[in-house]
Amino acid sequence: MDYAFRLFEEISEPNVISWNVMISGYNRSSQYDDTWRVFCKMRVLGFDPNQYTYGSVLSACAALRGIWYGNLIYCLVIKNGFYSNGYVRTGMIHLFMKSFCFEEGLRLFSDVLCENVVCWNAIISGAVINRENFVALEVFSQMLCGNLMPNNHTYPSVLSACTALGELELGKQVHGWVLKCGLQGDVFVGTSIVDMYAKVGDINDAVKGFSLMVIHNVVSWTAIIAAFLQREDPVSALQFFKEMRKVGVEVNNYTLTSVLTACAKPQMMKEAIQIHSLILKCGFDSDSTVINSLINMYSKMGDVFSSEVVFRESGTATDVESWAVMISGFAQNQSSGRAFETFRRMILEGIRPDKFCSSSVLSIIECINLGRQIHCYILKVGLVSDVSAGSALFTMYSKYGSLEEAYEVFEQIHGKDKVSWTSMIAGFAEHGCADQAFHLFQEMVSEGMKPDRTTLSAILMACSAVQSLQKGKEVHAYALNVGIGSDSLVGGGLVAMYSKCGALVSARKVFELMPRKDQVSWSSLVSGYAQNGYVEDSILLYHEMLVAGMDVDSFTVSSLLGIAATLTKADLGKKLHTPVVKIGLSSDLSVGSSLITMYSKCGSIEDSYKVFDQIENPDLFTWTSMIIGYAQHGKGMEALRLFDLMRKKEVEPDSVTFVGVLSACSHSGLVEEGYSHLNSMTKYHGIKPGSRHYACMVDILGRSGRLEEAANFIAHMPIEPDALVWGALLASCKVHGDVELGRLAAKRVFELESTGAGAYISLSNILADVGQWDEVINIRSLMKGVGVQKEPGWSLCKS
């Protein structure tokens, strides 16, 4: 263009044609600023532009998205009488569309009837660019009705609109028009057909469309490879890539990124190395898009070492996207320390982490204080209002239960999308804040945001948590109204909600109407029957689940084992235990804990320990279940030995663990050890003792005959003693025959729990043991006076 301009300057009398040659030349060279400069010079020198001049200058304005300059040109167009010229109007429509001024472009198109197909193509492609796909199809329909024949530039845009809307049937009709017009052999139209079928899920027609193409270029080959990737068929994708190489079509960076995605599986290491070699051979190792895909591929294969090697040797150390992909790779492989260190190194090297870097680090933060440091950085660089970074930040706070901080961040996000609304609702629901979840759901709907299947699943979780049947029914009605009531995710949530609310008839109806029952819906209904006491229904459905070939999860098995524990049916528990071992769930911690509890409650503490001993890395709940099991069976020393072993394994106890430990001390008469463990709760573990812990300590003292010390202990408790504490003292008074202290304990229990029969019976028995029958009669009369009745005894006998 420099040589061209020098020659142009030497022309003594340039005309409009020579000016147009220069202007269009700068356009072809993408030197749009120079286009504008030459046009301005042409005007200053008094030359009158024609339609070709205006069309070229408007194209330059569109490329620069210079809407202000474009409007100036359009004023000249109207002034000089070129308003109805199709070439000029097309340029102006392109300008409006590329500047996202869709309404202005549509108004311009509608002002004058145009029979120029280029103008129609401009409005159709512009509508697709602006995501006005319905408008694009409507304009295409008007074009056909007006007997204006579409060309090879029309169909790719129309097919893109069908793809965006998921309109397979309409896409097939457009394909029919392509065949009618004889454009099937056009490489761009053919590629659009392949892409449309691929993205709407019809892989067979995508392959058929590809095979009917006369010429295949790199774009069409890449489209069919991407089609198989969308169907999660990497083997076929690689086969087509090999065919592409065999026929000699040169690959581009889009082809390679698609193939690298296909290789991102541990079992495809050999193919991955071959593609990596090809990248080096073809010189794509300097292309940042390919390098980032390569880093991502190795990360998804679990080979973070190779990802780091590619990252270090790629020369993309200043490319923020490469850093983001590397951090994401560490996050995918749960290397939180490495991810955070890379994030920190990025800042030290003067590269500003973007929203993707921040989101990846926040996704695997293991310490809330570290998360707060990232929060400070996000505030500093102004990313807190970004949807991606803000959502990752409030999700991190939600994960650690800091819902106030999570909501504060959520409120600061601009342009909240459906994912951010759903994540915040799920955060409230998961942490038992159902009212806030309901309020946020209503706010989301009032903001004009349409909840999807994931949102409804989250709000149903909140309904289940508070057992709100009414709100659950409202959500069900909404789901039916928007047409997703039979969706498997929503259906599973509805089954779980109705089951938790005890509405098992409704739960079963929803379950039966689901076209595709997944594992969650089966498990929810089995557990619902189990938790509501419908033993036979639960077990029958469990067997149906197995016959249907569904995988049994730990939640289902734990619920069934809970039935066996509650009913103390060891035979049922053992029948469940056998398939648990067979399907490999015996090592699951929740199942293991349920088996321990079941065997313990059924009187077989030896079987409980066998299960415990087979668990490789017991968690807190499993240790606690075994300790409590030993305590309940009077094996206090074994419980305490297990607690010591638990501490050596560096498993931190909770308040429930200490109830088991103190119960063990009580059964073994270990008073001093009881005091020691009670004091250690606050001193070493930061756990504030509750009523159950103090009741256990009173029981320890009472069983050891130290009743006065127990009474003195109650008097100096840091919390107000409740009926449970006084009841423990009363039980000890009965054992040791202390009438006066028993009277005091019983009086306190009557004051706190006037309707309970236990205290009346205990005091009555104490008085009967010392022969005070008049007072026994008075106690019985008092029970009748306050409406307390002793429940008749019963026994469970085997016939």
Side-chain angles (χ1 to χ4, degrees):
M1 286 305 300
D2 289 339
Y3 288 120
F5 187 72
R6 287 176 194 170
L7 286 170
F8 175 76
E9 289 281 86
E10 293 177 7
I11 299 174
S12 57
E13 294 182 8
N15 59 14
V16 69
I17 296 173
S18 53
W19 282 102
N20 285 350
V21 168
M22 283 306 303
I23 288 170
S24 62
Y26 279 124
N27 266 8
R28 283 194 299 271
S29 301
S30 302
Q31 295 173 248
Y32 304 112
D33 289 325
D34 290 314
T35 301
W36 180 255
R37 178 177 56 81
V38 172
F39 174 75
C40 291
K41 187 174 181 179
M42 176 185 180
R43 290 278 301 147
V44 168
L45 293 176
F47 288 91
D48 291 326
N50 62 16
Q51 69 265 35
Y52 301 111
T53 319
Y54 288 126
S56 296
V57 176
L58 285 169
S59 294
C61 292
L64 294 168
R65 292 187 182 174
I67 192 71
W68 187 79
Y69 294 109
N71 282 324
L72 288 177
I73 300 296
Y74 201 56
C75 289
L76 286 174
V77 165
I78 296 171
K79 181 182 177 183
N80 295 326
F82 289 100
Y83 175 74
S84 60
N85 182 274
Y87 186 67
V88 176
R89 291 178 72 234
T90 299
M92 199 63 199
I93 290 170
H94 274 307
L95 170 62
F96 280 132
M97 293 304 178
K98 288 189 177 179
S99 302
F100 301 105
C101 301
F102 178 74
E103 295 297 332
E104 288 84 347
L106 192 60
R107 193 179 302 115
L108 175 63
F109 172 76
S110 305
D111 281 346
V112 177
L113 182 64
C114 182
E115 295 184 359
N116 187 337
V117 70
V118 178
C119 198
W120 286 81
N121 287 348
I123 199 69
I124 292 171
S125 64
V128 173
I129 291 169
N130 286 271
R131 298 181 181 178
E132 297 285 349
N133 297 293
F134 283 113
V135 176
L137 295 176
E138 177 62 29
V139 172
F140 176 68
S141 177
Q142 292 173 11
M143 187 179 184
L144 297 176
C145 292
N147 295 319
L148 195 62
M149 185 61 68
N151 62 15
N152 59 338
H153 296 289
T154 316
Y155 288 111
S157 296
V158 175
L159 288 164
S160 293
C162 295
T163 302
L165 296 170
E167 289 281 357
L168 178 59
E169 290 306 314
L170 195 56
K172 285 182 176 181
Q173 291 177 34
V174 175
H175 189 180
W177 271 97
V178 169
L179 294 171
K180 184 178 178 180
C181 297
L183 291 172
Q184 178 72 22
D186 183 274
V187 67
F188 298 108
V189 176
T191 301
S192 298
I193 290 169
V194 171
D195 187 60
M196 185 272 296
Y197 281 125
K199 287 181 177 174
V200 296
D202 191 339
I203 191 66
N204 293 327
D205 279 337
V207 173
K208 194 183 296 182
F210 180 80
S211 64
L212 291 173
M213 290 176 66
V214 179
I215 300 170
H216 299 107
N217 64 3
V218 64
V219 179
S220 54
W221 279 103
T222 303
I224 195 66
I225 290 167
F228 282 108
L229 286 179
Q230 190 167 325
R231 284 290 300 270
E232 297 184 0
D233 185 358
V235 175
S236 297
L238 289 172
Q239 284 175 347
F240 269 84
F241 178 69
K242 288 176 184 177
E243 285 297 316
M244 176 185 178
R245 295 285 296 153
K246 195 181 292 183
V247 297
V249 177
E250 290 295 324
V251 299
N252 64 15
N253 56 351
Y254 297 108
T255 317
L256 289 171
T257 53
S258 296
V259 176
L260 287 169
T261 303
C263 293
K265 290 177 173 53
Q267 64 268 30
M268 289 193 169
M269 180 60 80
K270 180 184 175 183
E271 290 83 354
I273 293 170
Q274 290 174 350
I275 301 299
H276 191 170
S277 301
L278 178 66
I279 288 168
L280 296 171
K281 181 181 177 182
C282 297
F284 282 97
D285 52 325
S286 59
D287 186 294
S288 60
T289 306
V290 175
I291 290 301
N292 293 342
S293 295
L294 197 55
I295 294 169
N296 186 50
M297 177 196 70
Y298 281 123
S299 297
K300 286 187 174 178
M301 296 173 78
D303 187 0
V304 187
F305 174 76
S306 294
S307 291
E308 285 189 276
V309 171
V310 173
F311 177 68
R312 282 198 308 269
E313 295 179 353
S314 63
T316 57
T318 58
D319 181 22
V320 178
E321 287 185 19
S322 295
W323 286 86
V325 174
M326 194 66 246
I327 291 170
S328 175
F330 285 128
Q332 288 168 15
N333 288 275
Q334 300 301 309
S335 300
S336 56
R338 302 289 297 282
F340 184 74
E341 179 57 31
T342 305
F343 185 86
R344 192 180 68 86
R345 185 158 58 90
M346 190 177 180
I347 296 171
L348 291 174
E349 292 186 16
I351 301 166
R352 175 175 163 175
D354 63 3
K355 58 186 179 182
F356 301 110
C357 299
S358 305
S359 301
S360 294
V361 172
L362 286 166
S363 69
I364 54 167
I365 287 290
E366 294 178 348
C367 168
I368 194 168
N369 290 329
L370 202 57
R372 289 192 175 108
Q373 291 179 43
I374 305 291
H375 189 177
C376 290
Y377 172 79
I378 288 174
L379 283 169
K380 183 180 177 181
V381 298
L383 282 174
V384 74
S385 61
D386 177 81
V387 173
S388 175
S391 297
L393 187 57
F394 77 68
T395 301
M396 182 275 298
Y397 280 124
S398 294
K399 184 171 73 174
Y400 288 103
S402 299
L403 292 175
E404 287 186 14
E405 290 174 286
Y407 189 66
E408 282 178 18
V409 174
F410 174 77
E411 288 283 85
Q412 295 174 48
I413 296 173
H414 295 158
K416 301 177 187 71
D417 61 5
K418 201 174 292 183
V419 175
S420 56
W421 281 99
T422 300
S423 298
M424 193 67 244
I425 290 169
F428 280 133
E430 287 167 6
H431 289 86
C433 302
D435 289 339
Q436 290 93 324
F438 295 141
H439 175 75
L440 204 61
F441 179 74
Q442 290 171 344
E443 191 179 330
M444 177 184 179
V445 174
S446 66
E447 289 279 337
M449 192 71 66
K450 185 178 178 181
D452 61 8
R453 57 200 291 270
T454 313
T455 318
L456 295 184
S457 176
I459 201 67
L460 285 168
M461 190 194 308
C463 297
S464 298
V466 293
Q467 297 183 8
S468 176
L469 183 60
Q470 181 58 40
K471 287 191 180 295
K473 286 181 175 180
E474 290 172 9
V475 175
H476 191 178
Y478 180 87
L480 291 171
N481 190 41
V482 297
I484 54 175
S486 59
D487 177 85
S488 59
L489 185 62
V490 175
L494 286 167
V495 171
M497 181 275 297
Y498 281 124
S499 297
K500 288 276 179 69
C501 295
L504 291 167
V505 174
S506 296
R508 188 66 186 242
K509 280 181 182 177
V510 172
F511 178 79
E512 295 294 347
L513 290 170
M514 287 175 67
R516 191 176 66 85
K517 301 169 180 63
D518 60 7
Q519 183 183 343
V520 175
S521 55
W522 279 96
S523 298
S524 296
L525 191 56
V526 170
S527 302
Y529 279 132
Q531 291 162 4
N532 286 280
Y534 294 92
V535 181
E536 289 183 6
D537 294 290
S538 180
I539 294 170
L540 183 63
L541 193 65
Y542 169 69
H543 286 302
E544 287 180 23
M545 184 178 179
L546 294 176
V547 170
M550 302 301 297
D551 293 329
V552 179
D553 61 5
S554 57
F555 179 64
T556 310
V557 174
S558 296
S559 299
L560 292 168
L561 288 169
I563 293 179
T566 304
L567 300 177
T568 61
K569 289 190 173 183
D571 290 343
L572 174 60
K574 286 179 179 178
K575 286 178 182 177
L576 291 168
H577 192 174
T578 303
V580 161
V581 174
K582 186 177 179 181
I583 61 180
L585 278 176
S586 55
S587 59
D588 182 272
L589 294 173
S590 64
V591 173
S593 299
S594 298
L595 282 167
I596 290 167
T597 303
M598 183 274 297
Y599 280 123
S600 174
K601 287 189 175 181
C602 292
S604 181
I605 195 64
E606 292 79 12
D607 285 327
S608 288
Y609 187 73
K610 284 179 185 176
V611 173
F612 177 81
D613 197 42
Q614 290 171 4
I615 298 173
E616 191 172 341
N617 293 306
D619 63 356
L620 171 62
F621 190 69
T622 312
W623 284 99
T624 301
S625 299
M626 194 66 235
I627 290 168
I628 290 174
Y630 271 138
Q632 290 172 342
H633 280 260
K635 296 180 177 290
M637 296 307 296
E638 286 88 341
L640 294 175
R641 276 197 293 270
L642 202 62
F643 178 72
D644 289 338
L645 181 60
M646 170 184 162
R647 297 296 298 120
K648 287 176 184 176
K649 297 282 187 181
E650 297 183 349
V651 177
E652 189 66 23
D654 65 1
S655 60
V656 181
T657 315
F658 276 106
V659 171
V661 169
L662 292 169
S663 296
C665 292
S666 176
H667 285 293
S668 300
L670 303 171
V671 178
E672 299 310 317
E673 285 81 354
Y675 273 123
S676 175
H677 286 299
L678 184 68
N679 293 331
S680 74
M681 288 178 65
T682 305
K683 188 174 181 181
Y684 298 115
H685 304 286
I687 301 170
K688 188 178 179 181
S691 177
R692 292 182 68 190
H693 303 103
Y694 289 118
C696 285
M697 194 64 225
V698 170
D699 189 56
I700 293 170
L701 294 168
R703 282 174 183 260
S704 301
R706 296 157 70 163
L707 297 177
E708 291 298 328
E709 188 177 343
N712 188 54
F713 176 84
I714 294 173
H716 292 89
M717 277 171 52
I719 62 172
E720 194 68 30
D722 62 5
L724 190 65
V725 174
W726 287 111
L729 180 61
L730 179 60
S732 297
C733 290
K734 179 181 179 300
V735 172
H736 295 285
D738 192 322
V739 179
E740 293 308 315
L741 197 55
R743 287 179 193 275
L744 172 65
K747 181 183 176 184
R748 295 287 184 265
V749 175
F750 296 158
E751 291 170 354
L752 294 166
E753 198 178 70
S754 60
T755 58
Y760 290 97
I761 301 302
S762 294
L763 181 58
S764 174
N765 289 339
I766 292 172
L767 295 170
D769 287 342
V770 294
Q772 296 184 14
W773 296 106
D774 291 339
E775 292 204 41
V776 170
I777 294 169
N778 289 337
I779 293 292
R780 300 289 180 176
S781 299
L782 183 62
M783 286 176 68
K784 289 180 182 178
V786 296
V788 176
Q789 291 185 342
K790 179 181 180 295
E791 290 185 11
W794 61 280
S795 63
L796 182 65
C797 301
K798 290 183 179 179
S799 57

